[in-house]
Amino acid sequence: MTQTTARTSGPSVLMRLRAIATSFLARRILKALATIFIVVSLTFGLVRLMPGNPIETYTFELMSQYNMSYQEARDQAAALMDVNLDAPLYQQYFEYLGKLLKGDLGNSYRSKGTSVVSYIKQFLPWTVFSVGTSLLISFTLGVTLGMLMAYRRESWLDHILSTIASLASAIPNYLIAIMLIVVFGVQLKWFNVTKMRGSLSPGMTPGFTWEFFADAFYHAALPITVYVLTTVGTWMLSMKSSTVQTLEEDYVTVARARGLSDGRIMTSYVGRNASLPLFTQLAISIGFVVGGSILIEQMFVYQGIGQQLFKAINARDYAVMQGIFLVITISVVVANLIADLLYGVLDPRIRSGKE
Amino acid sequence: MTINDGLLVMTKTVLEVDNLSVEFPARRGLVKAVRNVSFQLYEGEALALIGESGSGKTTLGLSLVRLLPKTARIREGRILYRKDGEEQDVLLLSREGLRAFRWRECAMVFQGAQNAFNPVLRIEDQFIDTARAHGIRDKDKVRAEARELLRRVHLDPDRVLKSFPHELSGGMRQRVLIALGLLLKPQIVILDEPTTALDILTQRSVIEVLRSVRDEFKFSLIFISHDLSLAAELADRVATVYAGKIVEIGNVFDIFEKPRHPYTQGLTQTVPTVTGELRELISIPGSPPDLIEPPKGCAFNPRCPYASERCRQEQPPLEEVGDGQFAACWNWREITERKPL
């Protein structure tokens, strides 16, 4: 057995390589890696194209804050930031790539000694929690209401929900956030905006306790409400049109003729087929979960990755920006990859085509 | 009455349609798709409903299992289903009663079986689903039954049961649907254009399959088609449908040999004879009637070579014109033989 393998190892390696090149999965993964590489390189260049640089920005900050002279502030800024921005760009680029391959995203320029990885570890979970929860709620609610609208199409319920859905998805999320704060928080005083700020109450220690989860949800409630309100409409309308189409399908009529119960037809025949086109959309949304929303986190002072990105951009903290963009890129690409693969599992017609 | 081996045998009625009318609201007015249709289906017989497209025959079929589109209205009539000496009006069935009636008592095999199956479920699961909807929870029993039926329709059960619908050809899917239709041993099977979307060889095999399962399972069959040659092969009785009405009904030999309605006569002349007898094929002049405002009198009068003044004024009733043969024509006596060409 081993002998045979040894003798035919030449062609078999070639064949295996060919198999990899033609395998759907391998091709998709290679494509995903290439995408990540290209985006990483572009990000590297783009963040450096922004006017100003980390030292400059900090210098002006120090000057205005402490009334220092330019030279004094510049020295202090340069001393704080242990980076050589004067090195040739390609040298910086390869240094960055080299570290990246080892999983080292470098240190924050601004907060000396804090690694970008630890930054992301600290803030990313909050964004994933708030945006992820809202996506879950939004998708479930949207799909359910969309189906309801399709089943009751042309009824008053359908008209009301359609109007609400189009309206809600047309309003930018920051406007809804402002409305929530000003109208319900400040004027009607339905909730205490100041107390709800942040991602946790002071003194709350993370752990598997009821208090912790309740507190986390309390603080995430407003961002989640905004995310849900602004995204649920799209899910509703997509699901409605998809369901209306599916209801016209012959197999639904035949299912009725077969005497299947309405519930069974609604879930396994209509719902399952109608939601297929939504999964690509869902995967893309899952990818963007880590990105969060800069504006919303900023407005509710929610300590997620979006807020950190905002701070990093203001401070021109290249390392942090690159790190956050990298995480967003990877998750979008991976989510799409999973969507492609999952789609085959969900829809057998695609599966057999790719095998 | 039905004809078995040339003998007249008195049989029971399993379905009686009584004065059924179905309408659809449209922009111009009401589409009268089915107008005062009455007929009986006897136990074990095959009845063909023949007509041009747009004649209302599919609507008639769908109304028998109450699968009409939401907009349709059944204006009047009764559909009486009889089994074991009991009689039910299908139109009065409750939601649950209707659900139980469908497929178990009356299975409808649709035209375009191409999309009759849920694309994301294996054929096996669709058999199990159907059985479970009617209270049969023993999956192994259902599987065994499905295997047997698939073998009957000349399919390889091992392959088919594990397949997804898109992995089967059109003819295979049509046969699978027929097998699925027989799963619960219904008393009535309705076939709507069972061979229309298939190529000629596949059509043949589907017809053979239908014949053999009918011999074996002895269900009553209604099949809806525009294809007279199919009717000649499968039916015991034929009803021709024109403008939402049954214009002639009788046993298959009478309908083909001595039609008493000019429309039936026209239809039979559009089909080449199997024996190759030389006969000029003619098509019926004119186009199908408007179902919103059907012509006054007999709906066929504008296209009819025999039309008289009476035909333009009064609607003819179905009249007995022979042994078990009925025609709705004022001038049926004149139509004793083929119109000389």
PDB file of all heavy atoms in Angstrom, chain B residues 21-25 30 68-76:
ATOM      1  N   SER B  21     -72.349  26.279 -10.485  1.00  0.00           N
ATOM      2  CA  SER B  21     -71.934  27.476 -11.219  1.00  0.00           C
ATOM      3  C   SER B  21     -70.805  28.163 -10.473  1.00  0.00           C
ATOM      4  O   SER B  21     -70.891  28.371  -9.270  1.00  0.00           O
ATOM      5  CB  SER B  21     -73.098  28.463 -11.358  1.00  0.00           C
ATOM      6  OG  SER B  21     -74.125  27.891 -12.116  1.00  0.00           O
ATOM      7  N   VAL B  22     -69.752  28.495 -11.206  1.00  0.00           N
ATOM      8  CA  VAL B  22     -68.607  29.180 -10.601  1.00  0.00           C
ATOM      9  C   VAL B  22     -68.317  30.453 -11.391  1.00  0.00           C
ATOM     10  O   VAL B  22     -68.318  30.440 -12.625  1.00  0.00           O
ATOM     11  CB  VAL B  22     -67.345  28.283 -10.611  1.00  0.00           C
ATOM     12  CG1 VAL B  22     -66.186  28.986  -9.929  1.00  0.00           C
ATOM     13  CG2 VAL B  22     -67.625  26.944  -9.947  1.00  0.00           C
ATOM     14  N   GLU B  23     -68.056  31.528 -10.650  1.00  0.00           N
ATOM     15  CA  GLU B  23     -67.777  32.800 -11.317  1.00  0.00           C
ATOM     16  C   GLU B  23     -66.496  33.419 -10.776  1.00  0.00           C
ATOM     17  O   GLU B  23     -66.130  33.199  -9.626  1.00  0.00           O
ATOM     18  CB  GLU B  23     -68.903  33.806 -11.037  1.00  0.00           C
ATOM     19  CG  GLU B  23     -70.256  33.364 -11.486  1.00  0.00           C
ATOM     20  CD  GLU B  23     -71.359  34.256 -10.918  1.00  0.00           C
ATOM     21  OE1 GLU B  23     -71.117  34.954  -9.908  1.00  0.00           O
ATOM     22  OE2 GLU B  23     -72.441  34.231 -11.495  1.00  0.00           O
ATOM     23  N   PHE B  24     -65.851  34.219 -11.613  1.00  0.00           N
ATOM     24  CA  PHE B  24     -64.713  35.036 -11.169  1.00  0.00           C
ATOM     25  C   PHE B  24     -65.019  36.485 -11.478  1.00  0.00           C
ATOM     26  O   PHE B  24     -65.386  36.797 -12.604  1.00  0.00           O
ATOM     27  CB  PHE B  24     -63.449  34.698 -11.972  1.00  0.00           C
ATOM     28  CG  PHE B  24     -62.928  33.317 -11.741  1.00  0.00           C
ATOM     29  CD1 PHE B  24     -63.325  32.264 -12.555  1.00  0.00           C
ATOM     30  CD2 PHE B  24     -62.012  33.086 -10.734  1.00  0.00           C
ATOM     31  CE1 PHE B  24     -62.820  30.991 -12.354  1.00  0.00           C
ATOM     32  CE2 PHE B  24     -61.504  31.820 -10.539  1.00  0.00           C
ATOM     33  CZ  PHE B  24     -61.904  30.768 -11.345  1.00  0.00           C
ATOM     34  N   PRO B  25     -64.840  37.354 -10.507  1.00  0.00           N
ATOM     35  CA  PRO B  25     -65.006  38.762 -10.851  1.00  0.00           C
ATOM     36  C   PRO B  25     -63.792  39.244 -11.664  1.00  0.00           C
ATOM     37  O   PRO B  25     -62.653  38.909 -11.328  1.00  0.00           O
ATOM     38  CB  PRO B  25     -65.066  39.466  -9.489  1.00  0.00           C
ATOM     39  CG  PRO B  25     -64.507  38.502  -8.508  1.00  0.00           C
ATOM     40  CD  PRO B  25     -64.524  37.136  -9.095  1.00  0.00           C
ATOM     41  N   LEU B  30     -68.405  39.636 -14.558  1.00  0.00           N
ATOM     42  CA  LEU B  30     -68.204  38.302 -14.011  1.00  0.00           C
ATOM     43  C   LEU B  30     -67.829  37.304 -15.111  1.00  0.00           C
ATOM     44  O   LEU B  30     -68.495  37.239 -16.142  1.00  0.00           O
ATOM     45  CB  LEU B  30     -69.483  37.813 -13.331  1.00  0.00           C
ATOM     46  CG  LEU B  30     -69.795  38.423 -11.972  1.00  0.00           C
ATOM     47  CD1 LEU B  30     -71.149  37.930 -11.489  1.00  0.00           C
ATOM     48  CD2 LEU B  30     -68.712  38.055 -10.971  1.00  0.00           C
ATOM     49  N   LEU B  68     -60.261  26.301  -5.743  1.00  0.00           N
ATOM     50  CA  LEU B  68     -60.371  27.451  -6.632  1.00  0.00           C
ATOM     51  C   LEU B  68     -59.581  28.619  -6.072  1.00  0.00           C
ATOM     52  O   LEU B  68     -59.394  28.725  -4.870  1.00  0.00           O
ATOM     53  CB  LEU B  68     -61.845  27.849  -6.763  1.00  0.00           C
ATOM     54  CG  LEU B  68     -62.726  26.857  -7.503  1.00  0.00           C
ATOM     55  CD1 LEU B  68     -64.194  27.193  -7.269  1.00  0.00           C
ATOM     56  CD2 LEU B  68     -62.407  26.875  -8.986  1.00  0.00           C
ATOM     57  N   PRO B  69     -59.106  29.495  -6.939  1.00  0.00           N
ATOM     58  CA  PRO B  69     -58.432  30.708  -6.441  1.00  0.00           C
ATOM     59  C   PRO B  69     -59.379  31.490  -5.531  1.00  0.00           C
ATOM     60  O   PRO B  69     -60.597  31.359  -5.646  1.00  0.00           O
ATOM     61  CB  PRO B  69     -58.133  31.506  -7.717  1.00  0.00           C
ATOM     62  CG  PRO B  69     -58.300  30.559  -8.845  1.00  0.00           C
ATOM     63  CD  PRO B  69     -59.149  29.426  -8.388  1.00  0.00           C
ATOM     64  N   LYS B  70     -58.760  32.272  -4.656  1.00  0.00           N
ATOM     65  CA  LYS B  70     -59.548  33.001  -3.660  1.00  0.00           C
ATOM     66  C   LYS B  70     -60.665  33.847  -4.248  1.00  0.00           C
ATOM     67  O   LYS B  70     -61.724  34.012  -3.639  1.00  0.00           O
ATOM     68  CB  LYS B  70     -58.618  33.940  -2.878  1.00  0.00           C
ATOM     69  CG  LYS B  70     -58.174  33.361  -1.553  1.00  0.00           C
ATOM     70  CD  LYS B  70     -57.408  34.419  -0.783  1.00  0.00           C
ATOM     71  CE  LYS B  70     -56.747  33.813   0.430  1.00  0.00           C
ATOM     72  NZ  LYS B  70     -55.724  34.676   0.983  1.00  0.00           N
ATOM     73  N   THR B  71     -60.423  34.388  -5.441  1.00  0.00           N
ATOM     74  CA  THR B  71     -61.394  35.314  -6.006  1.00  0.00           C
ATOM     75  C   THR B  71     -62.637  34.604  -6.537  1.00  0.00           C
ATOM     76  O   THR B  71     -63.665  35.229  -6.746  1.00  0.00           O
ATOM     77  CB  THR B  71     -60.754  36.094  -7.164  1.00  0.00           C
ATOM     78  OG1 THR B  71     -60.153  35.143  -8.047  1.00  0.00           O
ATOM     79  CG2 THR B  71     -59.721  37.070  -6.677  1.00  0.00           C
ATOM     80  N   ALA B  72     -62.530  33.287  -6.751  1.00  0.00           N
ATOM     81  CA  ALA B  72     -63.649  32.570  -7.361  1.00  0.00           C
ATOM     82  C   ALA B  72     -64.822  32.461  -6.397  1.00  0.00           C
ATOM     83  O   ALA B  72     -64.651  32.380  -5.187  1.00  0.00           O
ATOM     84  CB  ALA B  72     -63.198  31.180  -7.787  1.00  0.00           C
ATOM     85  N   ARG B  73     -66.016  32.471  -6.963  1.00  0.00           N
ATOM     86  CA  ARG B  73     -67.215  32.294  -6.135  1.00  0.00           C
ATOM     87  C   ARG B  73     -68.044  31.151  -6.695  1.00  0.00           C
ATOM     88  O   ARG B  73     -68.312  31.100  -7.888  1.00  0.00           O
ATOM     89  CB  ARG B  73     -68.062  33.560  -6.170  1.00  0.00           C
ATOM     90  CG  ARG B  73     -67.683  34.592  -5.123  1.00  0.00           C
ATOM     91  CD  ARG B  73     -68.906  35.424  -4.734  1.00  0.00           C
ATOM     92  NE  ARG B  73     -69.600  35.951  -5.899  1.00  0.00           N
ATOM     93  CZ  ARG B  73     -69.346  37.154  -6.413  1.00  0.00           C
ATOM     94  NH1 ARG B  73     -68.437  37.923  -5.870  1.00  0.00           N
ATOM     95  NH2 ARG B  73     -70.013  37.586  -7.465  1.00  0.00           N
ATOM     96  N   ILE B  74     -68.433  30.248  -5.809  1.00  0.00           N
ATOM     97  CA  ILE B  74     -69.354  29.201  -6.241  1.00  0.00           C
ATOM     98  C   ILE B  74     -70.743  29.750  -6.015  1.00  0.00           C
ATOM     99  O   ILE B  74     -71.173  29.946  -4.879  1.00  0.00           O
ATOM    100  CB  ILE B  74     -69.111  27.905  -5.455  1.00  0.00           C
ATOM    101  CG1 ILE B  74     -67.699  27.394  -5.774  1.00  0.00           C
ATOM    102  CG2 ILE B  74     -70.171  26.865  -5.783  1.00  0.00           C
ATOM    103  CD1 ILE B  74     -67.294  26.151  -5.055  1.00  0.00           C
ATOM    104  N   ARG B  75     -71.413  30.092  -7.106  1.00  0.00           N
ATOM    105  CA  ARG B  75     -72.685  30.806  -6.968  1.00  0.00           C
ATOM    106  C   ARG B  75     -73.797  29.880  -6.518  1.00  0.00           C
ATOM    107  O   ARG B  75     -74.617  30.221  -5.681  1.00  0.00           O
ATOM    108  CB  ARG B  75     -73.056  31.463  -8.301  1.00  0.00           C
ATOM    109  CG  ARG B  75     -74.019  32.627  -8.165  1.00  0.00           C
ATOM    110  CD  ARG B  75     -74.110  33.379  -9.473  1.00  0.00           C
ATOM    111  NE  ARG B  75     -74.335  32.432 -10.577  1.00  0.00           N
ATOM    112  CZ  ARG B  75     -75.528  32.189 -11.103  1.00  0.00           C
ATOM    113  NH1 ARG B  75     -76.588  32.813 -10.681  1.00  0.00           N
ATOM    114  NH2 ARG B  75     -75.652  31.319 -12.095  1.00  0.00           N
ATOM    115  N   GLU B  76     -73.813  28.685  -7.068  1.00  0.00           N
ATOM    116  CA  GLU B  76     -74.864  27.760  -6.663  1.00  0.00           C
ATOM    117  C   GLU B  76     -74.407  26.341  -6.955  1.00  0.00           C
ATOM    118  O   GLU B  76     -73.377  26.124  -7.594  1.00  0.00           O
ATOM    119  CB  GLU B  76     -76.162  28.046  -7.427  1.00  0.00           C
ATOM    120  CG  GLU B  76     -75.973  27.973  -8.935  1.00  0.00           C
ATOM    121  CD  GLU B  76     -77.243  28.276  -9.695  1.00  0.00           C
ATOM    122  OE1 GLU B  76     -78.330  27.973  -9.187  1.00  0.00           O
ATOM    123  OE2 GLU B  76     -77.152  28.816 -10.810  1.00  0.00           O
TER     124      GLU B  76
END
